[in-house]
Amino acid sequence: QVQLVESGGGLVQAGGSLRLSCAASGRTFSSYGMGWFRQAPGQEREFVAAINWNGDNTLYADSVKGRFTISRDNAKNTVLLQMNSLKFEDTAVYYCAAGSWPHTDSRWYEHWGQGTQVTVSS
């Protein structure tokens, strides 16, 4: 079992940067693939980025490729999402998730955080 808590969201101007952090509890964190998803008002939850257990394999949505970077520190039970060149359309609640394997499909993830709001002003 793992519990996830996101932080780092906030209000930023377009073109700015934010770094989201997901802190995980539990001794099995390093065995999980980790993902970030987001959900804007009135829209379905969508995949953002994912990383495998040791960080040597990452996946990105086309919409964030080249702007966002996912990383993890297993010693600190943390996964990060560095978001640069933010756009208005990046506004959403961002969720951290843990699953057996990193995947773009949210159904592969067993554990979810409560989310953190990111608002980008145009």
Side-chain angles (χ1 to χ4, degrees):
Q1 188 78 4
V2 62
Q3 293 184 325
L4 306 172
V5 178
E6 302 95 335
S7 62
L11 174 64
V12 63
Q13 288 188 332
S17 298
L18 280 176
R19 187 176 74 168
L20 304 184
S21 179
C22 175
S25 63
R27 284 178 275 181
T28 59
F29 171 76
S30 61
S31 68
Y32 284 96
M34 300 297 296
W36 285 97
F37 289 76
R38 66 187 182 187
Q39 188 168 19
Q43 298 190 20
E44 293 186 354
R45 191 170 298 187
E46 67 173 359
F47 169 75
V48 176
I51 190 166
N52 73 328
W53 71 276
N54 67 353
D56 67 357
N57 185 24
T58 56
L59 301 170
Y60 293 96
D62 287 343
S63 59
V64 307
K65 203 171 292 184
R67 300 188 297 122
F68 292 9
T69 303
I70 188 171
S71 61
R72 67 188 297 162
D73 185 339
N74 287 341
K76 297 181 178 179
N77 279 15
T78 300
V79 61
L80 301 175
L81 185 68
Q82 178 67 42
M83 305 186 297
N84 299 329
S85 302
L86 283 162
K87 304 176 181 180
F88 175 76
E89 51 264 40
D90 293 319
T91 296
V93 177
Y94 283 70
Y95 297 90
C96 174
S100 299
W101 193 258
H103 204 280
T104 60
D105 190 334
S106 63
R107 292 172 294 181
W108 282 77
Y109 295 86
E110 306 154 36
H111 308 286
W112 292 83
Q114 294 300 306
T116 185
Q117 176 71 46
V118 171
T119 303
V120 184
S121 62
S122 58

